[in-house]
Amino acid sequence: MAQPDSKKIFFENLSGAGKAIAVLTSGGDAQGMNAAVRAVVRMGIYVGAKVYFIREGYQGMVDGGDNIKEASWESVSSMLQVGGTVIGSARCKEFRTHEGRLKAAHNLVQRGITNLCVIGGDGSLTGANLFREEWSGLLGELVEQGLIDADAAQRYSALHIVGMVGSIDNDFCGTDMTIGTDSALHRIIEVVDAIMTTAQSHQRTFVLEVMGRHCGYLALVSALACGADWVLIPEMPPEDGWEEKMCQKLSANRAGMKRLNIIIVAEGAIDHNNKPITTDYVKNLVVKCLGFDTRVTILGHVQRGGTPSAFDRILASRMGVEAVLALLETTANTPACVVSLSGNQSVRLPLMECVQMVGTQLAWKQARTSTLMSFENNLKTYKLLAHRKPESELPSSNFNVAILNVGAPAAGMNAAVRSAVRVGISEGHKMFAVNDGFEGFYKGQIKEIKWADVGGWTGQGGSLLGTKRTLPAKHMDKIAEQMRKHNINALLVIGGFEALECLLQLYEARATYEEFCIPMCMLPATISNNVPGTDLSIGADTALNAIVETCDRIKQSASGTKRRVFIIETMGGYCGYLASVGGLAAGADAAYIYEEPFDIRDLQANVEHLTEKMKTSIQRGLVLRNENCNENYTTDFIYQLYSEEGKGVFDCRKNVLGHMQQGGAPSPFDRNFGTKISAKAMQWVSKKLVETFRQGRVFANTEDSCCLLGMRRRALVFQPVVQLKEDTDFVHRIPKEQWWLKLRPLMKILAKYKTSYDVSDSGQLEHVVRNRPKESDASAAM
């Protein structure tokens, strides 16, 4: 950790001594709420504050008694992986009345609580803000009634509120993702993937209803993630005559040898006359018009259930810590705020600005277009990929674009290829697929790929095109010959660190081979997330989920046994992203990585720290180790050290996760991240092809014609690969600066270590912006 300087505020300078913080969950439950509660409790205790649970939401605040109970460090152990909310949530009519809020104020003042962390939807947060505005008046009434004295009213004169949005619908303005949305998408996609196999067996049409009474986010994004044939959402009532168009689409797909059809309907879907569009109506329509064997599946509360995804655990943990920081920094004049996610950054937004933007359907539409994951962008992307225009309506560009995968396989690669192929065809290009990376390129394994060829690819793991680590440097002549032979005018490379090296070699070869003077774009796709120029890579989220699910099962295996510590080895090369972020999501006690050097004294200190924790109520310990963190302190060495030093207190087990981190179906995040950045890349390629077409040929030799498309903080940015050389450690194949290293202190704090935490990059109070520049529309988190 860097040393403090005048420009940075360090966490050690913030004190919560004397403060009392209460946390409650209200409204509908959402996976990840427990991770947020855990983070608030542990961060609050860490800074010296008293932290209280308020059980059963506002009802518990009104009833008081044992519903408001001080939390301890151990009281939030083993809840990270639990779905729902263990402190309970309930609708409370009494809190909506003045008398109910008066009771709640009395219960809080009795315990000295003047800081509230509310996890819920817009209704819960609106209620909290009203409570805050009435606070001084409520205290005055309590003094008049003799329930508190004037001194107490003076001492607790201000109530501070910080909100976190927990809602699977993702229906709150100002944040890209609400807690629980990603997990709900996991449940939906698991069901859709399972249904697709049975639908293919019988040539059936399935109509699925997903939650979303007023918001179609789950329906739209799950349709993108599974390549659904049709989607119906409340924000965009279909045009008159949609029934005929939908049936034509289904019929055309079936005629194209597609054995199944998937239609996704949001529960609040309506037509132009505000008449509900039900699943039964859609089913009867398909049966009547097409005679297809059609079944209905209503997912219901399945979407709220199950264990939270890695994304939701990390999001909730970051938000919980940020909420405590916001409460520590608040003053009497600070407005109630909501902790939100914008791109890859935490931000704080005035609570009532966000609520007012959600107040009407029109405001909701405007608000969504202001976020990084624009609702409109999701819809455009879906239409672009799901609905093929007739040949007569397609532009004729006469350009040939080749796509290939390079490096190790990563979940989401196939979704990116599908997106690129279909967007390219829509732009009028002829698309070519290259099998087995640059090895297949120089061997001539190149063939045209059409719209229907990539059907059903979004849910497939690995690389259907095949991928190799071969670099082009030794085969430039043969690759140039193949490019001439197939008249390749642009190149899209999807892969990891090797893909970056490939593009750098092709760029440098432009001086010798004019065939490489074409637009070239790279999409980062690697589970290691070690590519410079991007904060996130396609495939990393799926790998994180695999790690977290395995860690959950491993920890559960120790349930009911004596105290046990698990040593888990993750992949990642020299990049510690999987170990660090996976450790944060799984509740690890330590994570050893190359980027943060450690020695035997550090290992010994970690063992002693874990020993002390084991002497309390903690039953299980988890230690992650990145595969290349240290050549001498191997997984076996750490296992043996912990086993020896823990004798009499705990025993040890070890696991090497290996290639299971590369396998499996891609997560909803990776499917949509790959889909949308690939679509953006192809639009960039089309633009560059037009710009560089002169005198009957494409000629592009500038730096900005050979780029990597990555997510940087809040935006998707095209960066010349040659400019990324300075940011890269080529020996260890990692970027010189990595944003996720700032999350490591969070993992240590939540594991009860004393550490410094730089809060200079924490969220700052911003305002809700209706229209941001188009270039900042990253659409990146999903």
Side-chain angles (χ1 to χ4, degrees):
M1 180 69 67
Q3 294 300 310
D5 61 45
S6 60
K7 296 180 181 179
K8 293 188 175 182
I9 304 170
F10 272 73
F11 179 74
E12 292 170 329
N13 299 329
L14 297 171
S15 173
K19 291 200 173 188
I21 300 171
V23 58
L24 71 148
T25 54
S26 179
D29 66 306
Q31 308 97 316
M33 279 185 166
N34 289 325
V37 171
R38 171 180 178 267
V40 170
V41 169
R42 292 195 167 178
M43 194 61 155
I45 293 173
Y46 190 85
V47 300
K50 276 190 174 182
V51 186
Y52 292 84
F53 291 136
I54 299 180
R55 299 186 183 277
E56 309 306 332
Y58 287 116
Q59 189 66 56
M61 192 188 296
V62 172
D63 294 342
D66 289 339
N67 288 306
I68 305 177
K69 189 173 182 179
E70 188 172 353
S72 66
W73 191 279
E74 289 74 22
S75 64
V76 292
S77 296
S78 303
M79 65 189 293
L80 191 61
Q81 67 270 25
V82 179
T85 166
V86 298
I87 62 173
S89 181
R91 312 283 181 186
C92 181
K93 291 183 179 179
E94 197 173 354
F95 188 76
R96 297 177 185 175
T97 68
H98 183 79
E99 293 75 15
R101 293 192 290 275
L102 190 65
K103 288 182 184 178
H106 185 217
N107 288 327
L108 295 186
V109 170
Q110 283 183 311
R111 295 163 178 82
I113 298 170
T114 56
N115 297 279
L116 275 184
C117 185
V118 181
I119 309 169
D122 62 298
S124 302
L125 299 180
T126 302
N129 192 66
L130 175 62
F131 190 40
R132 172 182 173 272
E133 290 174 346
E134 291 182 347
W135 182 257
S136 59
L138 294 172
L139 294 193
E141 289 184 48
L142 292 173
V143 172
E144 290 175 6
Q145 295 176 17
L147 295 174
I148 64 172
D149 57 33
D151 182 59
Q154 178 66 29
R155 192 162 58 251
Y156 306 123
S157 59
L159 179 68
H160 306 296
I161 303 285
V162 172
M164 288 182 277
V165 189
S167 167
I168 69 168
D169 292 336
N170 202 31
D171 57 354
F172 195 83
C173 167
T175 184
D176 291 349
M177 290 289 279
T178 56
I179 296 169
T181 302
D182 185 68
S183 300
L185 284 169
H186 272 259
R187 301 295 92 78
I188 294 169
I189 294 305
E190 286 165 5
V191 171
V192 173
D193 285 351
I195 280 175
M196 289 176 81
T197 56
T198 184
Q200 285 176 325
S201 301
H202 298 279
Q203 294 197 59
R204 282 180 177 151
T205 296
F206 270 87
V207 183
L208 277 75
E209 180 184 286
V210 302
M211 284 184 167
R213 191 169 298 129
H214 304 294
C215 175
Y217 183 86
L218 289 178
L220 180 56
V221 175
S222 57
L224 261 176
C226 69
D229 298 271
W230 205 266
V231 63
L232 294 159
I233 55 177
E235 294 89 343
M236 299 285 180
E239 299 174 358
D240 292 337
W242 66 271
E243 294 95 338
E244 183 180 350
K245 290 180 180 178
M246 183 186 75
C247 289
Q248 288 175 352
K249 171 77 185 306
L250 299 179
S251 181
N253 284 349
R254 195 63 67 89
M257 304 304 290
K258 186 176 180 181
R259 293 180 59 84
L260 77 157
N261 301 112
I262 300 289
I263 302 167
I264 296 181
V265 183
E267 62 178 328
I270 53 174
D271 62 18
H272 270 298
N273 299 313
N274 287 326
K275 181 181 177 182
I277 301 175
T278 65
T279 50
D280 284 337
Y281 176 77
V282 175
K283 173 194 171 181
N284 294 334
L285 177 69
V286 174
V287 172
K288 179 182 177 182
C289 296
L290 301 175
F292 290 172
D293 185 1
T294 306
R295 306 296 167 92
V296 170
T297 298
I298 298 175
L299 271 62
H301 282 74
V302 165
Q303 297 157 88
R304 288 194 188 276
T307 187
S309 67
F311 183 99
D312 272 329
R313 298 186 199 193
I314 297 161
L315 172 66
S317 297
R318 291 178 68 183
M319 283 187 171
V321 169
E322 187 69 32
V324 173
L325 292 176
L327 287 171
L328 291 180
E329 296 169 10
T330 193
T331 66
N333 298 321
T334 305
C337 73
V338 177
V339 178
S340 303
L341 179 74
S342 180
N344 201 30
Q345 283 188 291
S346 295
V347 297
R348 301 174 194 171
L349 297 168
L351 189 154
M352 291 314 297
E353 283 189 22
C354 297
V355 170
Q356 288 161 7
M357 289 291 283
V358 185
T360 66
Q361 192 177 52
L362 175 61
W364 159 248
K365 291 178 187 176
Q366 293 172 336
R368 287 308 298 163
T369 57
S370 75
T371 65
L372 292 184
M373 292 178 303
S374 160
F375 186 92
E376 185 178 340
N377 184 59
N378 278 320
L379 190 61
K380 285 181 178 178
T381 305
Y382 171 76
K383 288 180 176 179
L384 191 63
L385 300 178
H387 304 287
R388 185 180 185 183
K389 293 180 181 178
E391 295 286 346
S392 58
E393 295 181 19
L394 292 175
S396 179
S397 71
N398 296 318
F399 291 125
N400 295 343
V401 181
I403 305 172
L404 67 160
N405 295 335
V406 174
M413 276 183 165
N414 297 321
V417 172
R418 169 185 176 268
S419 178
V421 167
R422 293 195 168 180
V423 172
I425 291 173
S426 297
E427 300 273 334
H429 310 318
K430 185 179 286 188
M431 304 302 295
F432 287 84
V434 182
N435 296 115
D436 297 335
F438 280 100
E439 183 174 316
F441 209 131
Y442 80 79
K443 290 180 178 179
Q445 297 174 8
I446 305 167
K447 62 179 181 180
E448 186 178 356
I449 187 166
K450 297 185 178 294
W451 185 282
D453 295 335
V454 292
W457 279 32
T458 53
Q460 300 291 316
S463 168
L464 293 175
L465 290 183
T467 181
K468 294 286 181 68
R469 298 179 184 270
T470 305
L471 301 180
K474 296 181 180 180
H475 311 284
M476 288 296 184
D477 287 339
K478 293 181 180 179
I479 293 172
E481 180 184 341
Q482 291 297 331
M483 294 189 78
R484 285 194 301 273
K485 178 179 177 181
H486 295 279
N487 189 28
I488 302 299
N489 305 119
L491 203 59
L492 181 66
V493 181
I494 304 168
F497 199 90
E498 292 89 352
L500 175 67
E501 292 179 305
C502 290
L503 252 66
L504 283 170
Q505 291 179 2
L506 294 177
Y507 175 81
E508 291 167 0
R510 281 176 167 179
T512 307
Y513 301 94
E514 285 193 358
E515 289 81 4
F516 303 131
C517 294
I518 59 173
M520 294 185 281
C521 186
M522 173 195 164
L523 300 180
T526 167
I527 69 166
S528 301
N529 199 32
N530 64 331
V531 177
T534 187
D535 292 345
L536 297 172
S537 299
I538 299 166
D541 183 73
T542 303
L544 276 178
N545 278 288
I547 292 168
V548 169
E549 288 169 13
T550 305
C551 287
D552 286 351
R553 294 183 183 184
I554 287 172
K555 287 196 295 183
Q556 191 180 50
S557 72
S559 179
T561 65
K562 60 183 178 180
R563 295 182 176 91
R564 182 165 288 167
V565 174
F566 297 93
I567 315 295
I568 310 294
E569 181 183 302
T570 67
M571 295 178 92
Y574 286 95
C575 180
Y577 176 81
L578 291 179
S580 294
V581 181
L584 178 61
D589 296 278
Y592 300 114
I593 62 171
Y594 167 78
E595 293 91 342
E596 193 173 284
F598 60 95
D599 57 26
I600 192 67
R601 291 180 293 274
D602 297 311
L603 291 170
Q604 184 65 34
N606 293 153
V607 174
E608 292 172 358
H609 179 79
L610 200 49
T611 301
E612 287 300 312
K613 288 173 66 176
M614 286 286 182
K615 289 177 180 177
T616 63
S617 60
I618 304 297
Q619 296 293 319
R620 298 181 293 271
L622 182 66
V623 175
L624 271 61
R625 177 190 177 274
N626 168 246
E627 59 184 346
N628 288 343
C629 66
N630 189 293
E631 62 180 345
N632 295 314
Y633 301 134
T634 63
T635 301
D636 284 336
F637 178 91
I638 293 175
Y639 163 71
Q640 290 166 6
L641 175 67
Y642 272 73
S643 297
E644 180 64 29
E645 297 299 320
K647 279 183 178 177
V649 180
F650 60 81
D651 66 357
C652 281
R653 295 289 186 273
K654 65 176 178 177
N655 259 279
V656 178
L657 301 185
H659 284 75
M660 57 82 62
Q661 297 161 84
Q662 284 185 342
S667 67
F669 184 104
D670 280 328
R671 297 184 193 202
N672 289 288
F673 186 39
T675 294
K676 291 196 282 192
I677 68 167
S678 187
K680 190 175 182 73
M682 279 306 304
Q683 289 166 346
W684 176 88
V685 166
S686 296
K687 180 183 175 184
K688 286 294 179 185
L689 284 169
V690 173
E691 289 176 356
T692 58
F693 185 71
R694 298 288 183 274
Q695 298 177 344
R697 57 170 293 192
V698 173
F699 186 83
N701 65 348
T702 57
E703 287 184 0
D704 66 354
S705 63
C706 184
C707 286
L708 176 146
L709 174 57
M711 179 184 172
R712 302 302 295 264
R713 296 169 75 88
R714 299 189 184 190
L716 286 178
V717 182
F718 289 95
Q719 301 152 95
V721 293
V722 70
Q723 294 180 12
L724 294 174
K725 291 173 69 175
E726 294 180 2
D727 303 331
T728 308
D729 176 355
F730 283 95
V731 175
H732 298 100
R733 299 159 62 84
I734 55 175
K736 291 179 180 177
E737 292 188 12
Q738 302 185 85
W739 69 273
W740 52 265
L741 286 170
K742 292 182 180 180
L743 299 182
R744 281 186 62 79
L746 298 189
M747 183 193 72
K748 294 177 182 178
I749 288 169
L750 298 178
K752 213 174 183 178
Y753 284 91
K754 289 292 181 183
T755 185
S756 296
Y757 179 44
D758 180 3
V759 297
S760 61
D761 198 41
S762 64
Q764 302 300 314
L765 191 65
E766 301 180 5
H767 293 283
V768 179
V769 180
R770 287 177 183 265
N771 293 305
R772 288 180 181 157
K774 287 185 178 180
E775 192 57 35
S776 71
D777 183 11
S779 308
M782 200 140 14

